[in-house]
């Protein structure tokens, strides 16, 4: 597990460097917290650049169980607040989620994404990239269902793109990012 997260950190760093070529002001980083769910579900850091990524990741131990819905809801709420204020990126925005296993709250996650699509005006305005670390078949099945079946569950647009981390080659990061927005 620890080695996978070390590899993931390197891959996330490369991905962030690629993102900086499109958006140099950095990313908003959400990190799940270790501990009681009531105490700390997640932390977020704004304008994170590749220069400072390692320190934020090292400060936070990945929890054994992840409640992804609150983190995803917070990121989407922030996006739609910026949209209402006319401050979203003209070429679309993306939320990238990196997980090592299946989140605890699968149905809530699907409902949150479906609901968000009904607040969107066009398909390319927001994309969600789910990157799986490791080979957990339950997580893979859930991610695939989000990628392939959300419109059947009532989503207005297909906004989810999934990939297993070790399948993303360094030279294909750009294509993965493009697919997140233009899937």
């Amino acid at each position: 597990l620890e080695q996978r997260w070390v590899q993931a950190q390197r891959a996330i760093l490369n991905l962030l460097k690629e993102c900086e070529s499109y958006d140099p002001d950095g990313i908003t980083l959400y990190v799940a917290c270790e501990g009681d769910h009531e105490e700390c579900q997640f932390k977020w850091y704004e304008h994170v650049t590749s220069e400072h990524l390692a320190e934020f990741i090292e400060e936070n131990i990945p929890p054994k169980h992840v409640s992804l819905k609150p983190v995803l809801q917070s990121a989407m709420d922030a996006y739609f607040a910026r949209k209402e204020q006319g401050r979203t990126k003209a070429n679309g925005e993306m939320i990238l989620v990196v997980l090592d296993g299946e989140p605890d709250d699968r149905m809530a996650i699907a409902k949150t994404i479906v609901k968000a699509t009904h607040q969107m005006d066009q398909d390319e305005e927001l994309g969600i990239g789910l990157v799986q670390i490791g080979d957990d078949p339950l997580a893979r099945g859930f991610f695939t269902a989000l990628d392939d079946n959300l419109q059947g569950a009532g989503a207005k647009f297909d906004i989810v793109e999934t990939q297993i981390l070790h399948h993303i080659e360094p030279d294909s990061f750009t294509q993965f990012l493009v697919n997140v927005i233009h899937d």
Side-chain angles (χ1 to χ4, degrees):
L1 176 64
E2 196 172 313
Q3 184 176 349
R4 287 194 310 232
W5 276 104
V6 169
Q7 291 172 329
Q9 185 173 345
R10 278 191 299 249
I12 293 166
L13 180 61
N14 290 334
L15 188 58
L16 180 52
K17 287 178 180 177
E18 188 68 38
C19 290
E20 286 174 335
S21 69
Y22 297 103
D23 189 6
D25 68 348
I27 64 168
T28 301
L29 177 67
Y30 292 81
V31 182
C33 299
E34 176 71 27
D36 183 6
H37 286 290
E38 299 300 319
E39 180 184 311
C40 178
Q41 293 182 334
F42 63 92
K43 297 177 187 176
W44 72 94
Y45 306 92
E46 295 185 352
H47 305 290
V48 175
T49 62
S50 56
E51 181 181 339
H52 300 288
L53 177 67
E55 71 184 72
F56 293 120
I57 290 177
E58 288 172 11
E59 287 177 7
N60 297 281
I61 301 167
K64 289 182 174 84
H65 300 283
V66 175
S67 182
L68 180 57
K69 193 261 184 195
V71 179
L72 196 56
Q73 186 67 59
S74 178
M76 288 183 186
D77 289 348
Y79 169 77
F80 288 115
R82 286 191 313 279
K83 178 181 176 181
E84 192 173 294
Q85 298 166 357
R87 297 184 317 135
T88 54
K89 305 289 182 183
N91 57 349
E93 293 192 23
M94 68 180 75
I95 298 169
L96 294 176
V97 179
V98 179
L99 285 174
D100 180 26
E102 186 180 29
D104 295 338
D105 45 358
R106 296 181 322 181
M107 290 305 296
I109 293 165
K111 288 178 183 179
T112 298
I113 295 170
V114 168
K115 182 179 174 188
T117 66
H118 290 279
Q119 295 177 263
M120 295 170 54
D121 299 318
Q122 58 184 342
D123 191 15
E124 290 82 21
E125 107 183 41
L126 180 64
I128 299 172
L130 299 172
V131 179
Q132 180 183 352
I133 300 170
D135 298 317
D136 182 318
L138 293 175
R140 184 74 203 140
F142 174 60
F143 284 5
T144 300
L146 289 176
D147 194 351
D148 297 341
N149 302 324
L150 272 183
Q151 286 186 296
K156 186 176 175 183
F157 303 110
D158 176 11
I159 64 169
V160 175
E161 178 75 14
T162 64
Q163 191 60 261
I164 296 174
L165 182 67
H166 65 266
H167 290 170
I168 303 174
E169 298 296 326
D171 59 345
S172 68
F173 279 134
T174 302
Q175 188 58 50
F176 176 71
L177 294 174
V178 168
N179 289 347
V180 170
I181 292 293
H182 297 290
D183 181 31

